[in-house]
Structure formats: structure tokens, C-alpha cells
Amino acid sequence: MTDALITKTVGQAGHISLNRPKAIHALNLPMCEAMITALQQWSDDDAVQAVILDHSEGRGFCAGGDIRMLAESGAKEGAEKGREARQFFHTEYRLNHLIFEYTKPIIAFMDGITMGGGVGISQPAQFRVATENTRFAMPETGIGLFPDVGGGWYLPRLEGRVGQYLALTGARLKGEDCLALRLATHYLPANSLAEAKARIAENPDRINGILGELSVTPPESSLMVNIDKINKTFASDIYENILTALEEDDSDWALKERDTLGTKSPQTCKVALRQLKEGAEMPDFAAQMKQEYAIGARVVQMHDFLEGVRALIIDKDNAPVWNPATPQEVSDEWIDAIFKPLPANEEWTPL
């Protein structure tokens, strides 16, 4: 096991705590491998009836994946170009799929920043607990990546066009928004989590009842106040049409969202819209992960991802220069090449 992960059994539950606080518990390859090992062991252990997934300390549940490593890998030359990135994606997506298909209940406590990779390990869990500390987002359009880890499966299945809105804008949701959208199954005050975990470990057959007893009524969801505007302006699967709809709406809300989209990678926005459109029709989660792996294997080597990581993580100037620079320059052929299936011997496969 890795020091970046704490695994133990408590009562009748397995307990996984992400333990990389300086990186806001972002996932790296050893963490994904260790989580897979623990989940596989507990799957066959009759003494373990449920799995608790949380973070050890700090303000984040899981802020994503090892983005810097992915960019460094994508920038290499020759045979090494993108190799480490593909290895990470292949393993991370196997973890996502394992959680999705897991036969014992998993309870993810999203008590803090839950972004990217954190979404990937919490959304497939049967129980997803939000708190007043939850900040949930898929911010990949801001770094030139794409909403992966199953984003193409979860986002188009949200109410109306909220999934497309989240994928394009990277909007940050609070715990009450997550509950309203069913991204979370329960909303608990953070000071009740220790009690919830202890009671679940002792009575894993009563998870729903325990979480229900400790739940409280959250504040009103600010996102749901704008749901009609979201459904109207983000209705199209054509990115240019969404931009036009926002420009034709003279509200302050639409102006703010249009300005937000102006900072995002046009390539990533078009990838996201196609990914969600096709994801809504995927036959199963494994098919979704196969497609996302093909996309990821290519995108990590492309200009926009390397530039996004430079601007937001390395130099921190927050001024990425996207190429192609405008949505009109991102052709259908450009997107087709990103979505092309990989050769059979390079495809993603589940465990």
C-alpha cells in the first residue's frame, strides 16, 4: 500500500482514506493501484459488508488526478510520449469501473473539494454524502483536458441540460446543489460524519437509515434557481449555438456565463458536447470508459492540454493561449480524429 492512502477495516466496513493533503488528495498511479487492491480483497471478504471512502485531513475530498505528471508525459518525445499518462488513465478508469460494478455498498463522503478524479471515485458509489464543505466541479475545459472519469456517462443523465452546462463552464456546485441534482444521495452536516461512519461500520445493513437520520435540510440550491435558463441557453449540442443563445440573452447571468466560456478551450468544449451526446446512448459504463480512454490518450499530447497546465498549474499566469483559438476553427474532422477508436491492442479494458 502507499502512504498516500490509508486502508483499514473498522467493524464490518472497509475504510479507504485518501492521504495526500498537500495535493488536496489528488490521485496518482500508486493510489489508484492501492485502491483497486483493497477493493478486490474486500470483495471476497465476508467480514467486510460495506466500504467507506473519504479523505484523511484538509479541505479536499479529492481535487482530481496527477495533472502535472500527465502534461509532462504528453510533452515527451518518441515512444515515451504519453506512455505514463496512458498507464495512469488505464488504471484510474479501471478503478472507476470497479467502483461502478462493486457488489457491496460504497459510501463516498464528499466533504470538501470534489473535482475531476474525485468525481470519478464518488459518483459510481451507491451512497454519496455532501456537506456544507462540498465544492463539486468538472473543470477540465479550463485546462484543455475533457470531463473524463465517466463524465460522459453521469453528466448527460442529469436533469435537463445541467450536465452540458457543468461540462462547458466548470461551474462549482455546493452540497445543496449536489443533493438537488442527485449527484449526492444525502446532505449531512460535517460534524455528523464521524458518527455516521462509526454507525455504518457497526451496522452496514442500515446505511440508508443511518444517513437518513443524520441528514439535515440544506440551503436552497442556487443552481436550481437558474435551471430554466440553463436548459434554454445550453440546449444545443453545437457549441456555437450555445454561445449565440447566451449572447442573445441580455441577463446578467447569461453575460457572466458567456464571459466564462470565453476563457475555456474551444477544442475541449466541442469534445465535451460530443462526449455527452454519445455518452447518453452508451450501452454500459465500460463502453463509456473505452471511449474516454481513446480521447484521453490523444488529448494529453495536444497543445491545449499542455498549454492549460502551463497557464494554470506551472506558471500560474491564468492566461492560456488556445490553439485552435476559436470554436469556428475547431472542425468536425479535428474532433473526429480525437474520437477515433484506438487499435484493438491499445484499447482500454476493465479488470
Side-chain angles (χ1 to χ4, degrees), residues 93 96 100 116 119-120 123-124 138 146-157 275-276 279 285 288-289 292:
Y93 295 1
N96 301 147
F100 191 96
V119 174
Q123 281 309 294
M138 292 295 279
F146 71 107
D148 67 330
V149 293
W153 179 272
Y154 303 116
L155 294 176
R157 288 165 175 79
Q275 176 196 358
L276 268 60
F285 191 65
Q288 181 64 44
M289 300 317 292
E292 292 188 8

Side-chain angles (χ1 to χ4, degrees), residues 239-258:
Y239 187 43
E240 291 88 342
N241 291 352
I242 292 174
L243 296 175
T244 298
L246 289 169
E247 288 164 359
E248 292 176 348
D249 184 324
D250 60 2
S251 69
D252 290 343
W253 176 87
L255 178 63
K256 175 177 173 290
E257 299 302 337
R258 178 62 183 88

Side-chain angles (χ1 to χ4, degrees), residues 14 23 30 98 108 161 189 199 210 214 295 312 343-344:
L98 175 60
R161 298 290 290 184
R199 289 175 61 181
I210 291 166
L214 295 174
I295 298 170
L312 276 78

